[in-house]
Amino acid sequence: MRTFPARIHVSAMKLTILLLVLIIPFHIQAAERPAGVVELFTSQGCSSCPPADALLAELAERDDVVALAYHVDYWDYLGWKDEMATPENSARQRAYGETFDRSVYTPQVVVNGQRDIVGSHRKEIYAAIDKGSEGNAALPVDVDISSSNGSVFVNVGAAETAPADTHIVVVYYKPRRVVSIRGGENRGRSIEYRNIVTSFQTVGMWHGKAMRLELPKSEMVKKGGHCAVLLQSFDAEGRPGAILGAARTAESW
């Protein structure tokens, strides 16, 4: 661990069926709640990170987990620049550091926005995820992503209570990349990275009622075609907190 229409004649029934087919969105992601969201903060320049990267790749294969890798830039000075790293990823990790009142480090995993774990500690990470898979309502709110024609729809369910400041966050990512590292602490290694976060943004607020957002599919495609949606609470200072719901696209658009 390192710190820091055509005109046709049809019956009324056939016309009704046709209209329903046209307006019902094609679902990419089922509405089943995932057991957990695993956010890994990692760097190609960190010698402690490859085991955590391998663990995230394993988790990325699970249908019941939203696994995301945020590459950070603060280890670039060690002799190898991580070209997948962004200042925004580092800023998100620092915000989590403020939430947990501790220094940032790599590899760091945050599960459901509520607990940080060393990214290579398999048993602890799986135990945190399994709390959700055992029906303990780790993610209490339904979130669903669907697509129709030129739009992407985000559906968020209702809840009896909701935190005052809950964001709908879209996280764009690339599903897979293999990198041959030619410098720094991991020099000579070839590492496969999964679900590499390229950018993220808040697209709306949730106040406890069921809602639907429509987003342009063209913007999604430009940013890689894969995304996850996180329903996440934030405090008055803008620090991230518990993730209440999540979904991810099962394929690119």
Side-chain angles (χ1 to χ4, degrees), residues 52-63 65 67 122 126 194:
D53 299 320
L55 178 55
L56 188 90
E58 181 182 309
L59 292 170
E61 295 297 322
R62 289 181 52 161
D63 293 334
V65 173
R122 171 187 297 270
Y126 269 82
R194 296 292 304 275

Side-chain angles (χ1 to χ4, degrees), residues 42-44 50 53 57 71 82 84 174-179 181 186 191-196:
T42 185
S43 171
Q44 294 172 14
D53 299 320
H71 286 246
D82 188 332
M84 298 187 293
K174 294 181 180 179
R176 188 189 306 265
R177 184 176 173 185
V178 176
V179 178
I181 300 174
N186 290 314
I191 302 175
E192 179 183 42
Y193 295 100
R194 296 292 304 275
N195 296 4
I196 307 144

Side-chain angles (χ1 to χ4, degrees), residues 10-249:
V10 295
S11 68
M13 180 177 293
K14 288 182 179 180
L15 180 58
T16 300
I17 294 172
L18 176 61
L19 288 173
L20 286 172
V21 170
L22 289 175
I23 65 174
I24 295 176
F26 168 73
H27 281 259
I28 297 177
Q29 171 70 28
E32 183 178 351
R33 297 175 189 171
V37 177
V38 176
E39 298 177 273
L40 169 66
F41 295 92
T42 185
S43 171
Q44 294 172 14
C46 165
S47 61
S48 302
C49 286
D53 299 320
L55 178 55
L56 188 90
E58 181 182 309
L59 292 170
E61 295 297 322
R62 289 181 52 161
D63 293 334
D64 64 340
V65 173
V66 177
L68 300 166
Y70 298 79
H71 286 246
V72 298
D73 61 357
Y74 50 80
W75 296 130
D76 287 353
Y77 74 92
L78 292 177
W80 179 254
K81 179 179 174 59
D82 188 332
E83 61 187 37
M84 298 187 293
T86 69
E88 291 78 16
N89 289 349
S90 300
R92 180 166 175 83
Q93 185 185 24
R94 286 193 295 270
Y96 270 130
E98 294 178 6
T99 296
F100 300 130
D101 193 23
R102 64 173 301 163
S103 299
V104 298
Y105 61 92
T106 55
Q108 180 185 29
V109 153
V110 177
V111 179
N112 296 337
Q114 299 182 76
R115 181 181 176 188
D116 82 295
I117 306 169
V118 175
S120 56
H121 287 190
R122 171 187 297 270
K123 290 181 67 174
E124 290 183 58
I125 293 170
Y126 269 82
I129 295 169
D130 288 343
K131 288 184 178 181
S133 63
E134 292 170 359
N136 294 330
L139 302 180
V141 183
D142 289 324
V143 177
D144 178 69
I145 307 173
S146 60
S147 174
S148 178
N149 300 322
S151 297
V152 171
F153 300 94
V154 176
N155 297 293
V156 182
E160 292 184 3
T161 61
D165 195 1
T166 304
H167 296 195
I168 302 170
V169 183
V170 177
V171 183
Y172 306 95
Y173 64 89
K174 294 181 180 179
R176 188 189 306 265
R177 184 176 173 185
V178 176
V179 178
S180 296
I181 300 174
R182 300 186 299 277
E185 294 184 347
N186 290 314
R187 182 176 182 176
R189 303 187 67 161
S190 182
I191 302 175
E192 179 183 42
Y193 295 100
R194 296 292 304 275
N195 296 4
I196 307 144
V197 173
T198 56
S199 64
F200 52 90
Q201 64 182 128
T202 293
V203 297
M205 299 288 291
W206 179 75
H207 301 288
K209 296 181 179 180
M211 62 179 293
R212 187 187 215 195
L213 286 176
E214 182 177 3
L215 306 172
K217 186 190 291 185
S218 59
E219 289 301 306
M220 301 282 188
V221 173
K222 284 194 296 186
K223 294 180 179 180
H226 289 76
C227 77
V229 174
L230 310 179
L231 185 66
Q232 185 166 30
S233 63
F234 285 76
D235 68 13
E237 304 299 323
R239 293 174 294 221
I243 293 174
L244 309 176
R248 63 179 173 85
T249 54

